[in-house]
Amino acid sequence: MSESHFASGSLEAKGIHLSFGSNHVLRGIDLRVEKGRTASVIGPSGSGKSTLLRVMNRLIEPDEGDILLDGNSVLRENPDELRRRIGMVFQQFNLFPHKTVVENVSFALRKLRKLPKDQARSEALAQLDLVGLKHKADARPGNLSGGQQQRVAIARALAMKPEVMFFDEATSALDPELVKGVLALMADLAKGGMTMVVVTHEMGFSRNVSDTVTFMDRGVVVETGAPEQVFDSPRTDRLQRFLSDVL
Ligand code: ADP
Ligand code: MG
């Protein structure tokens, strides 16, 4: 039979186990996101969400389990190859403070995509335009608000033309009034068909934007499903307790 039996363009973690020393942090995690969909991951601090993202883009190798892109295992490939295909946005924006905004975005285009200077700059400006910050191209990150800095970090990731975007609590370090703009940009990306895995404390985003919600606690997936099911009809005490704490 043909490959068409299997949905393609998906990213999947299967049976992932990982320990840091005697700390068994991921205990058989399955997570799958279909092409063009957004999977959100929620759960208490320390449950292994960030570690899972790091395993899924191979910053850390799992002790057991597999990572599949388009249905094919990527664990035997060069990890740099997968990381180029996955854009990552963190809670701390990690911009270079001494470079301008446009240099922050064009840097990886020159280093990794090996674009000539002029082309890197014009692609970077186009990405900045998409996140509404072209007018800040020649500013330093320190002169931008946290929300603007995070949008630069998103532009920097998008400039690499990733197939999948990971967000790890991208709005957690922002002042409350700046959260909205970043979430709106993430929602636009999701609606535009980007494949995304979003670790978030923003339950509104998780419910309204993501296609699936996965609740993790202590290294296991406790529940996963459509947003209505996870938020309106939690099946476990653990998820009910978590939701009543955060909502
Ligand atoms: P979350 O993102 O859900 O808050 P993390 O994935 O950051 O959870 O952490 C899960 C567990 O793994 C925690 O117990 C944390 O202390 C541990 N951990 C995370 N990263 C490391 C590391 N690099 N070395 C040792 N332990 C780690
Ligand atoms: Mg985390």
Side-chain angles (χ1 to χ4, degrees), residues 14-167:
K14 252 186 163 167
I16 300 295
H17 284 265
L18 180 84
S19 296
F20 292 113
S22 61
N23 189 4
H24 193 173
V25 169
L26 300 177
R27 301 168 172 252
I29 297 278
D30 295 320
L31 182 75
R32 179 183 174 91
V33 59
E34 302 296 335
K35 187 180 178 66
R37 304 286 174 160
T38 294
S40 61
V41 181
I42 61 173
S45 181
S47 54
K49 306 179 298 297
S50 296
T51 303
L52 176 63
L53 290 187
R54 290 160 63 80
V55 168
M56 287 180 80
N57 77 355
R58 298 194 61 200
L59 285 166
I60 313 174
E61 297 295 320
D63 298 329
E64 260 181 64
D66 207 350
I67 309 294
L68 302 124
L69 191 63
D70 298 330
N72 300 311
S73 176
V74 293
L75 283 187
R76 267 171 295 278
E77 289 175 12
N78 179 350
D80 293 339
E81 174 59 29
L82 183 69
R83 266 174 244 143
R84 262 198 286 279
R85 297 167 76 172
I86 300 178
M88 183 116 191
V89 176
F90 303 91
Q91 181 173 335
Q92 302 303 337
F93 333 117
N94 302 328
L95 299 175
F96 298 110
H98 302 298
K99 290 184 192 292
T100 64
V101 162
V102 68
E103 286 164 355
N104 266 278
V105 178
S106 62
F107 183 73
L109 296 179
R110 297 184 62 193
K111 282 276 173 223
L112 298 175
R113 281 180 56 204
K114 313 278 187 215
L115 297 185
K117 193 170 183 180
D118 289 354
Q119 196 185 340
R121 183 177 166 91
S122 66
E123 282 200 22
L125 287 172
Q127 281 303 331
L128 286 170
D129 202 17
L130 287 177
V131 304
L133 287 173
K134 199 176 170 186
H135 63 293
K136 294 290 185 187
D138 297 313
R140 308 268 163 200
N143 294 321
L144 270 54
S145 73
Q148 289 173 328
Q149 290 185 56
Q150 191 58 297
R151 279 148 61 200
V152 173
I154 292 170
R156 178 178 58 180
L158 292 174
M160 297 301 290
K161 311 264 185 247
E163 292 160 55
V164 182
M165 284 285 286
F166 284 179
F167 293 87

Side-chain angles (χ1 to χ4, degrees), residues 210-232:
S210 57
D211 298 285
T212 61
V213 183
T214 295
F215 170 60
M216 279 177 67
D217 191 17
R218 295 179 206 176
V220 298
V221 170
V222 179
E223 292 197 33
T224 188
E228 314 81 68
Q229 132 103 79
V230 167
F231 286 106
D232 299 335

